[in-house]
Amino acid sequence: MTFDYDLFVIGGGSGGVRAGRIAASEYGAKVGLAEESRMGGTCVIRGCVPKKLMIFAASAPDAAAEAQGYGWTGADAGRFDWDVFRARLDAELTRLEGAYTRGLESAGGTIYKQRAHLIDPHTVGLADGQRITAKHILIAVGGRPHLPGIEGQELGMISDDLFTMDRVPGRVLVVGGGFIACEFATILNGLGAETVLAYRGDKVLRGFDRDGRDLVTAQLDEIGVDVRLGLSPLRLGKDGAGVRAHFNDGSAESFDAVMFATGRAPYIKGLGLAELGVHCGPKGEILVDKYSQTNIPSIFAVGDVTDRVNLTPVAIREGHSFADTVFGGQPRFVDHDLVASAVYTRPHELASIGMTEDEAEARGGVEIYDARFRPMRSLFAGSDARVMMKLVVDAETCRVLGCHIFGPEAGEMIQLVAIAIGMGATKADLDRTIAVHPTLAEELVTMRQPTRRHDVPEPPEHDAPERDMAAPQL
Ligand code: NDP
């Protein structure tokens, strides 16, 4: 049987484009791809990239304040002009969209700028009525914001809307306590919005290390976000040009805008999965084996639509492994253990890899090395901000099982620690590494005594050292 394509990809985001590009450029596959929106997907168009640029924008007042601490009198970030920033952001996203388009097309792939759905195991239907056949079909459609299902929720924004707002709202409510809620509350606050964050739990970032969660919760408060814990809106109503939120504690408040950051769900609506009998899990996630193959052998899925680890670099790796396996004859799969991630709050980020202290406590046989200090840079400028670095170490093998960093550029640091941890580094390996002084990261190789032990006999526990990082440890 002959097909129009060797591979047809539904979704032009990070995972789909990588899979299509590698299949075409490295293995000579004939590739088609359908994208209903802009090439680049969530990460490039309405996620990681514009979000991080907005974090940079929101950090300018901190930089100006720090400059004053270093003797720059009159240092002031000035007035933030959303229109100027947004025009520059749009231009940058258009540039990246072009790069994604060219990346696939220059590899020989064909892009269909329209919606696609499955018709049979080898056929895809396009919005304009075309039918396209392919030996293999890859679903890489990602996820979409999940709303809590409350009355009036259509009056709220989702994270996508942040990048296309007409203006920065004067007073905004962010609902949720995950990655997006923490990052977007940080951005909105930094851009001058009076920001309230309502989270139903007792500290943000469930699933992260407990001390990191405490520190992010406290930092949000310190930068001026009004963090309301144990609070959720039950209903939204119109209030002039704004929105009135009615909360679970009986209170009600008005905002210029409400943003839901209450999770994301696989974007499977209208794909035709059920009609074809593709197995999905309870959240709608497409169920795949370790090679990203569904129960229908010609259909594969990668990225957020499979709800494994919902991060761009994971989707890219899954897409690449799929291409290597199916078109390169080199069976490869992604190890979803030990994936590092960072939450880009400001001024300190929270970055993590591996076992948290809660998990360590449940497992036992673990030592915790925990350092707290005030970094010399911000301390000199008059800030009291503290960094935390924590290592979770197996008491018997000395292997480092987890690392959690709360500090400036923590995402950059965890990336490098992840290499060592992925290679099976022990605490002795870190101890043997000579510090680069003066840096923040040197603390990772200079922690001497465990501060806590979980289910390990002896010796007594030490308090986490609290100090200023102005001089090397003696
Ligand atoms: P998360 O799953 O991280 O957080 C969802 C939040 O919404 C949680 O605090 C959750 O509370 C809360 N929530 C869920 N349902 C309700 C409800 N009905 N009412 C009130 N609160 C609710 O999702 P995000 O949307 O923040 O992010 C989605 C994913 O995108 C992340 O998991 C991550 O994989 C990815 N991402 C990664 C980033 C990065 O790498 N820096 C940045 C942004 C996103 P509870 O904890 O109590 O369940």
Side-chain angles (χ1 to χ4, degrees), residues 257-446:
V258 173
M259 199 194 96
F260 290 107
T262 44
R264 294 176 62 86
Y267 181 46
I268 57 164
K269 196 165 167 230
L271 270 182
L273 297 171
E275 295 82 338
L276 218 60
V278 177
H279 292 167
C280 292
K283 287 168 68 182
E285 71 276 20
I286 298 180
L287 300 177
V288 289
D289 68 9
K290 66 180 183 179
Y291 295 107
S292 297
Q293 190 171 31
T294 70
N295 60 307
I296 298 194
S298 58
I299 301 179
F300 294 72
V302 296
D304 288 7
V305 77
T306 62
D307 196 29
R308 287 176 281 184
V309 177
N310 297 334
L311 297 170
T312 300
V314 175
I316 290 173
R317 188 63 68 83
E318 288 168 356
H320 202 130
S321 300
F322 156 80
D324 287 342
T325 303
V326 174
F327 297 99
Q330 310 165 64
R332 292 224 166 102
F333 59 87
V334 177
D335 180 355
H336 292 95
D337 277 344
L338 285 180
V339 176
S341 69
V343 186
Y344 296 104
T345 45
R346 178 186 60 77
H348 290 184
E349 303 168 354
L350 177 63
S352 281
I353 182 167
M355 191 178 280
T356 63
E357 189 166 351
D358 282 339
E359 289 165 344
E361 202 167 13
R363 172 191 183 270
V366 176
E367 293 180 332
I368 306 293
Y369 293 77
D370 182 351
R372 315 276 174 125
F373 57 93
R374 296 190 290 175
M376 65 190 287
R377 177 175 169 157
S378 50
L379 177 63
F380 183 86
S383 163
D384 207 31
R386 280 171 165 73
V387 165
M388 177 202 74
M389 293 194 178
K390 183 187 279 190
L391 294 172
V392 178
V393 177
D394 185 301
E396 199 179 314
T397 64
C398 284
R399 196 170 159 171
V400 181
L401 304 173
C403 177
H404 309 279
I405 304 173
F406 176 75
E409 309 292 353
E412 302 288 349
M413 288 187 259
I414 208 77
Q415 177 66 88
L416 301 179
V417 179
I419 300 170
I421 294 181
M423 291 173 75
T426 61
K427 181 66 172 59
D429 292 323
L430 299 195
D431 293 347
R432 204 171 34 248
T433 306
I434 292 180
V436 178
H437 185 73
T439 63
L440 296 174
E442 67 179 300
E443 204 72 20
L444 289 165
V445 297
T446 54

Side-chain angles (χ1 to χ4, degrees), residues 198-263:
Y199 172 51
R200 63 183 177 183
D202 62 350
K203 51 178 128 168
V204 297
L205 293 173
R206 192 156 59 85
F208 277 82
D209 186 78
R210 58 194 182 200
D211 289 326
R213 297 176 67 191
D214 283 335
L215 289 162
V216 172
T217 308
Q219 177 176 270
L220 284 167
D221 196 57
E222 278 154 21
I223 64 171
V225 174
D226 183 354
V227 180
R228 313 261 187 95
L229 300 172
L231 196 71
S232 281
L234 297 179
R235 180 165 64 86
L236 301 185
K238 273 202 168 139
D239 182 11
V243 183
R244 190 149 182 87
H246 300 262
F247 294 100
N248 56 337
D249 64 355
S251 64
E253 275 178 57
S254 295
F255 299 90
D256 297 308
V258 173
M259 199 194 96
F260 290 107
T262 44

